[in-house]
């Protein structure tokens, strides 16, 4: 099956990848809802740590938790799947991941649907936004612009996706020959809806995951295996 999928990729001129936490799993970054290995949302309540209400109730706890995640990501390195994607500068990488591993692998085209943990922004949306040192993350601090509080520039539950990223992702997915879906449970919307969008626009859907997912029924090829092993085989 991998050879057939590879042939389709070789014939394609417009390839888009749509990735989730499984892409970074082998770099040592926890996934969120992995049925086999647990995942972050099995250990932590996402509404306390990843929602505007949670932040407003206990901002120190949220900033501390993101501080540890930032340190973990700073200590991680891109794996073979990030590197294989980055080696193909023609591929548009639509990602739900907030880590910076595709950037550090050198990927040319990245659309971050859920924002980035590498920056802070004003929680009151005054427009202030700045890069933070990932290996020495800041504690809870006020926005220097408006006095509100700063928080990671990621999308939390109940928040809208950044319009610009969403528009670009929709365009890329409705205009590709192949959508390579890597390491996502496809459980979180609207992001997961991009897979059905690409399929209905005529793209071949190639899924790489260690297990079946909510997108399995959309797959033309479902390759069960680790991203770091399967993705390089597909793209080389
Ligand atoms: P999930 O944790 O929901 O799913 C991770 C997927 O990766 C699962 O389907 C696993 O089977 C698969 N997986 C695990 N290890 C893998 C490996 N080595 N190779 C290939 N696949 C592997 O993560 P996402 O789908 O990314 O939202 O979750 C979507 C969103 O939910 C995240 O962006 C985050 C979370 O709440 C926000 O932060 C807004």
């Amino acid at each position: 099956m991998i050879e057939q999928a590879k042939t389709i990729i070789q014939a394609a001129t417009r390839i888009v990848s749509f990735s989730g936490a499984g892409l970074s799993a082998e770099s040592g970054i926890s996934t969120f809802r992995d049925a086999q290995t647990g995942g972050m949302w099995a250990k932590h309540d996402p509404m306390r740590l990843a929602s505007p209400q949670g932040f407003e109730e206990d901002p120190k706890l949220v900033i501390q938790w993101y501080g540890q995640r930032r340190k973990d990501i700073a200590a991680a390195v891109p794996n073979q799947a990030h590197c294989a994607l980055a080696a193909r500068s023609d591929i548009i990488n639509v990602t739900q991941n907030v880590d910076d591993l595709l950037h550090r692998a050198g990927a040319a085209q990245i659309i971050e649907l859920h924002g980035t943990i590498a920056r802070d922004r004003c929680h009151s949306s005054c427009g202030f936004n700045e890069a933070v040192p990932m290996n020495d993350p800041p504690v809870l601090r006020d926005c220097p612009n408006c006095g509100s509080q700063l928080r990671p520039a990621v999308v939390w539950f109940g928040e809208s996706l950044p319009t610009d990223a969403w528009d670009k992702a929709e365009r890329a997915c409705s205009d590709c020959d192949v959508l390579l879906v890597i390491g996502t449970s496809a459980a979180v919307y609207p992001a997961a809806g991009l897979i059905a969008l690409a399929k209905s626009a005529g793209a071949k859907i190639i899924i790489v995951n260690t297990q079946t997912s909510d997108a399995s029924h959309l797959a033309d090829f479902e390759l069960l295996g680790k991203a770091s092993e399967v993705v390089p085989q597909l793209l080389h």
Side-chain angles (χ1 to χ4, degrees):
M1 205 191 295
I2 197 157
E3 286 308 318
Q4 282 176 321
K6 204 170 162 172
T7 306
I8 301 242
I9 287 175
Q10 279 164 351
T13 51
R14 298 162 306 171
I15 303 171
V16 174
S17 84
F18 174 64
S19 55
L23 174 64
S24 298
E26 290 158 82
S27 295
I29 310 295
S30 292
T31 62
F32 296 97
R33 53 182 75 71
D34 197 322
Q36 280 170 355
T37 58
M40 259 186 282
W41 296 154
K43 297 181 205 119
H44 306 283
D45 177 0
M47 295 318 281
R48 283 186 76 201
L49 297 172
S51 78
Q53 298 85 338
F55 179 70
E56 283 149 25
E57 271 164 32
D58 195 345
K60 262 194 185 150
L61 174 80
V62 173
I63 296 302
Q64 260 170 18
W65 187 71
Y66 274 95
Q68 189 54 52
R69 283 195 65 199
R70 283 169 161 159
K71 286 183 189 164
D72 293 344
I73 291 167
V77 290
N79 64 50
Q80 292 304 311
H82 297 108
C83 295
L85 288 166
R88 288 284 303 262
S89 58
D90 59 309
I91 294 183
I92 300 176
N93 295 282
V94 177
T95 189
Q96 300 165 91
N97 295 348
V98 299
D99 65 49
D100 57 358
L101 295 177
L102 274 169
H103 285 281
R104 282 201 268 140
Q109 305 188 65
I110 305 172
I111 300 173
E112 293 175 318
L113 283 180
H114 290 164
T116 173
I117 200 171
R119 302 186 72 84
D120 265 349
R121 75 162 175 87
C122 173
H123 186 54
S124 294
S125 304
C126 78
F128 185 83
N129 186 310
E130 70 172 10
V132 296
M134 294 278 283
N135 52 7
D136 185 19
V139 294
L140 179 65
R141 48 203 183 123
D142 292 341
C143 174
N145 202 27
C146 73
S148 174
Q149 285 171 323
L150 294 183
R151 51 161 278 186
V154 300
V155 176
W156 282 334
F157 288 100
E159 294 183 324
S160 304
L161 271 51
T163 314
D164 186 47
W166 179 251
D167 290 349
K168 283 184 183 155
E170 269 195 326
R171 269 201 302 279
C173 291
S174 51
D175 197 25
C176 64
D177 306 313
V178 170
L179 185 71
L180 195 50
V181 179
I182 307 168
T184 178
S185 59
V188 173
Y189 282 79
L194 292 169
I195 307 167
L197 175 70
K199 176 105 184 165
S200 65
K204 292 283 184 221
I205 309 296
I206 301 176
I207 296 185
V208 179
N209 200 310
T210 44
Q211 59 192 321
T212 57
S213 69
D214 288 5
S216 292
H217 66 289
L218 295 170
D220 293 286
F221 296 92
E222 186 171 49
L223 306 171
L224 295 183
K226 291 181 177 173
S228 69
E229 290 166 10
V230 180
V231 175
Q233 282 183 58
L234 278 175
L235 296 178
H236 282 157

